Amino acid sequence: MKTRIFLLGLAGFSACARFPGSVEEASLQTAMLLLAQRTPAAAASEPARARFAYVADNGGNTISMYSIDTSGLLTSIGTIASGGGTPRQIVTDPQGRYVYVVNSGGGTVGMFSINRTTGGLTFLGTMPTGGTPYAIAVNPAGTFVFTANNGGNSVSVFSINQSVGTLNLVASYATGAAPRGVAVHPNGGFVYTANNVDSNVSQFSLNTSTGVLTDLGTVASGAAPHGLIVHPLGTFAFVVNFGVTNVSQYTVTGGLFAINTPGSIPATSSPF
């Protein structure tokens, strides 16, 4: 299996995302952004069978839903309210059962179940976060959800009810100022936030049984980071820096970031 990393952008919004598989899958994710309603902010696909895709529509406070045919083309299957204002990022659990979206305007996570036959979403309610959430991630085991709370200078940890998909707050933990990105290490043992005002990355170890985070300190990034991602092998990481229009590069050892050489590469204008 090949893995590619893309920086996708449209209408002032973009996402740093990893999509395993072929170029066709990458083209699909681009199409998801282009076909979305109003001001799309982020996209996710149902991973278990890759038959459905979902886009958070920032300007419309909705989620656009799509089916995926065997050639990778999308067909709209409708929209559903995101459960709050200004949805910014959206994820599915690894088993393709549930969808979660952060609504920065309402300070909530919208929770949805996926109809495994039609791809339609059913609203399960919302959970409050630590204030103005900008980003969301799910651990590889599909047991916890993490939100980067830009207005609360924190990362919130939620456990996933495996039977129905609803979330329960484990705790919120202090990060650097204004976290706008969150990522989980592929081994499931570490969590990271990109802190926009402090221009650094907070690093935590994760107790995979309880969801408790332990602060491991910070590492410098470029100015005003907005997003980050860890390579699927867990050995490299990348942070997009809005303030200096570049991407910071890191090696990852024992879950901790270290600046790679060179430390950054240029990006296009205003990367998110």
Side-chain angles (χ1 to χ4, degrees), residues 148-164:
N149 306 315
N150 178 74
N153 300 331
S154 66
V155 57
S156 294
V157 184
F158 301 87
S159 61
I160 300 175
N161 183 313
Q162 297 299 304
S163 298
V164 296

Side-chain angles (χ1 to χ4, degrees), residues 28-49:
L28 162 64
Q29 302 295 334
T30 305
M32 288 161 62
L33 291 175
L34 294 175
L35 290 173
Q37 301 284 318
R38 302 187 67 176
T39 315
S45 61
E46 175 263 340
R49 292 174 290 177

Side-chain angles (χ1 to χ4, degrees), residues 130-141:
T132 321
Y134 259 59
I136 188 167
V138 182
N139 69 324

Side-chain angles (χ1 to χ4, degrees), residues 115-201:
N115 184 309
R116 301 299 292 275
T117 301
T118 67
L121 299 181
T122 298
F123 182 58
L124 301 176
T126 62
M127 280 290 292
T129 67
T132 321
Y134 259 59
I136 188 167
V138 182
N139 69 324
T143 51
F144 297 105
V145 165
F146 309 87
T147 63
N149 306 315
N150 178 74
N153 300 331
S154 66
V155 57
S156 294
V157 184
F158 301 87
S159 61
I160 300 175
N161 183 313
Q162 297 299 304
S163 298
V164 296
T166 53
L167 301 179
N168 293 293
L169 179 66
V170 174
S172 293
Y173 298 87
T175 64
R180 294 192 177 183
V182 63
V184 183
H185 192 281
N187 71 10
F190 301 92
V191 175
Y192 313 94
T193 64
N195 306 314
N196 182 261
V197 171
D198 284 347
S199 296
N200 62 18
V201 175

Side-chain angles (χ1 to χ4, degrees), residues 2 5 10 26 52 59 73 105 136 142 148 163 211 221 236 238 247:
K2 298 179 180 179
I5 295 174
L10 180 67
F52 308 112
L73 297 179
I136 188 167
S163 298
S221 68
F236 304 104
F238 308 91
V247 179

Side-chain angles (χ1 to χ4, degrees), residues 37-109:
Q37 301 284 318
R38 302 187 67 176
T39 315
S45 61
E46 175 263 340
R49 292 174 290 177
R51 296 193 301 139
F52 308 112
Y54 307 95
V55 175
D57 303 323
N58 186 276
N61 300 332
T62 59
I63 298 171
S64 294
M65 303 174 286
Y66 301 92
S67 62
I68 307 170
D69 69 17
T70 55
S71 63
L73 297 179
L74 304 179
T75 298
S76 174
I77 53 176
T79 63
I80 187 171
S82 68
T86 322
R88 287 191 178 271
Q89 281 197 5
I90 187 169
V91 293
T92 66
D93 76 312
Q95 293 78 30
R97 302 166 299 170
Y98 309 117
V99 165
Y100 304 101
V101 60
V102 283
N103 300 300
S104 63
T108 63
V109 179

